[in-house]
Amino acid sequence: MSFSSRCRGAALSALVPALVLFGLAGSVQAAEPIKVKVFVGSMFEIGKNTGDRAGEFQHWYERYWQTAEPIAVKGALNPVYCNADGVCGSVLGMGKVSSSASMQAILLNPQLDLSQAYFMVTGVAGTPPSRGTIGEVSWATWVVDYDLGHRWAPEENKPGEPTFMPRKGYEAVRLFPMNPALVSWAMRLTADTPLKDSDSARAYRKRYPQEAAQRAPFVGTGTHMTGDTFFHGPGMSAQAQYIAKLYGADDYVITEMEAAAITLVIKRLQGSDRVMSLRGAVNFDQGNPNETTLQHLDPKPGETAGGFAETVENVELVGSRMVDHIVGHWDQWKDGVPALPAP
């Protein structure tokens, strides 16, 4: 064999494994992405996904993903889990930055096809005692960013006047109306959901004189206010309500930390008509008339709201009705929110 023939043979021998590897890589890249029908995003889990004290994700995980393999997504805080029915979910992280970064990474990941997905942003929250109660579950009609604007100290203001002014130029990133047809569907399917309650929550409600605060848990709607701070006290609560009204939204009923940012990411990549915000109230946004705001922030043992375990279960009980309906009637939902049937 000539030197040139040996060289050609060696080159071909080296090329065959490379072609095989390329073929394998090509087949991996060509694998069909998972077609997601509903994506559930929670903000935190306390420990493991199952078997211990439940945070925001555990009841969802135990219902839909106990046998699912985790899907690692670069840039997301935690893996994504999917079942065979196209229901996927993940713990996105707390706060606007962490949660929205995770959501963008998941949306851009080629392993997942979210082009027709419905998104349910879920978790726990606070509520003003004039509007809600411990254990309630709320669907957002509007999601509003609490932070974008100008603020100053009350002592530097005219007495009784607001200490907030919207910052011009941020209109498109601070106010998000939820699809009213989707909210109507959610209330029709979930308003009568039997909700859990607890003796500790019932006892805590009695410390507040407001009629709404003393109610048993219920399913309702209203504006969800997204802020990176856990604001407390009647002054901050009044400011949140002022902002909601200033922007033309519904009554402020929920304070949370993520929904506006997550909605913005989804809206920029594929629109927000399929976004839902679902929250359960585990605390009031202010103390009762017999305690200061600082006392409310640092309560004595036994004076916390109670009802956390029941509320995280309530969120899943309510939300899963919507998830299961969408998946079970996918032919009607895949191209958009269907018209509501006649009552």
Side-chain angles (χ1 to χ4, degrees):
M1 180 183 295
S2 68
F3 177 75
S4 59
S5 298
R6 287 197 301 271
C7 287
R8 284 195 298 274
L12 285 170
S13 298
L15 184 59
V16 169
L19 290 170
V20 171
L21 287 173
F22 179 81
L24 289 174
S27 66
V28 171
Q29 291 176 354
E32 287 292 318
I34 297 169
K35 292 189 178 297
V36 183
K37 296 174 183 174
V38 181
F39 180 88
V40 179
S42 298
M43 306 307 122
F44 72 87
E45 184 51 58
I46 294 172
K48 298 178 181 178
N49 286 337
T50 186
D52 57 4
R53 184 188 178 198
E56 293 179 342
F57 191 62
Q58 187 166 133
H59 291 296
W60 293 101
Y61 179 85
E62 290 174 348
R63 184 180 183 93
Y64 293 107
W65 305 303
Q66 291 238 51
T67 60
E69 291 294 323
I71 301 169
V73 174
K74 185 177 181 180
L77 183 64
N78 289 287
V80 174
Y81 298 89
C82 295
N83 68 11
D85 294 325
V87 181
C88 299
S90 184
V91 177
L92 303 178
M94 292 182 64
K96 289 190 286 188
V97 174
S98 182
S99 62
S100 61
S102 292
M103 191 72 257
Q104 180 157 312
I106 291 166
L107 281 163
L108 295 175
N109 189 277
Q111 300 172 88
L112 303 167
D113 178 0
L114 291 122
S115 59
Q116 291 184 303
Y118 290 84
F119 298 86
M120 192 177 293
V121 182
T122 72
V124 298
T127 187
S130 61
R131 297 293 190 277
T133 193
I134 306 302
E136 72 160 293
V137 179
S138 172
W139 294 100
T141 52
W142 296 78
V143 174
V144 174
D145 190 293
Y146 176 80
D147 299 314
L148 283 172
H150 302 276
R151 282 185 172 85
W152 52 96
E155 63 269 20
E156 298 166 357
N157 202 47
K158 293 180 181 179
E161 290 193 359
T163 58
F164 173 84
M165 180 188 301
R167 185 169 177 82
K168 292 181 179 180
Y170 290 87
E171 290 79 8
V173 298
R174 68 185 181 209
L175 177 65
F176 303 93
M178 298 289 98
N179 185 337
L182 196 52
V183 177
S184 294
W185 265 108
M187 285 300 291
R188 176 172 292 205
L189 294 170
T190 69
D192 63 348
T193 305
L195 300 181
K196 306 286 184 178
D197 203 358
S198 68
D199 290 339
S200 60
R202 281 187 282 266
Y204 188 81
R205 293 185 194 109
K206 293 179 181 179
R207 302 167 77 237
Y208 287 78
Q210 294 91 336
E211 183 178 349
Q214 295 187 12
R215 287 183 65 180
F218 62 94
V219 180
T221 63
T223 292
H224 292 191
M225 189 69 62
T226 302
D228 267 327
T229 56
F230 291 95
F231 60 79
H232 289 264
M236 294 290 100
S237 181
Q239 187 170 101
Q241 187 66 266
Y242 169 76
I243 293 170
K245 292 303 181 184
L246 189 68
Y247 292 169
D250 294 330
D251 274 358
Y252 149 66
V253 298
I254 286 291
T255 167
E256 46 81 20
M257 300 176 68
E258 297 88 12
I262 294 171
T263 301
L264 176 60
V265 168
I266 300 169
K267 181 179 179 180
R268 284 185 174 176
L269 289 173
Q270 59 189 60
S272 58
D273 282 349
R274 300 189 183 202
V275 178
M276 296 165 274
S277 178
L278 178 67
R279 294 283 177 158
V282 293
N283 65 273
F284 292 117
D285 68 0
Q286 58 193 272
N288 67 72
N290 298 317
E291 65 183 344
T292 66
T293 297
L294 289 179
Q295 288 169 336
H296 176 65
L297 283 172
D298 188 19
K300 296 176 182 178
E303 292 188 357
T304 53
F308 180 90
E310 291 75 19
T311 303
V312 293
E313 188 173 358
N314 286 345
V315 172
E316 186 274 325
L317 289 170
V318 171
S320 62
R321 283 188 167 192
M322 189 68 176
V323 172
D324 292 346
H325 180 86
I326 292 172
V327 172
H329 300 80
W330 186 242
D331 285 346
Q332 289 79 46
W333 283 81
K334 63 182 180 180
D335 294 323
V337 180
L340 279 165

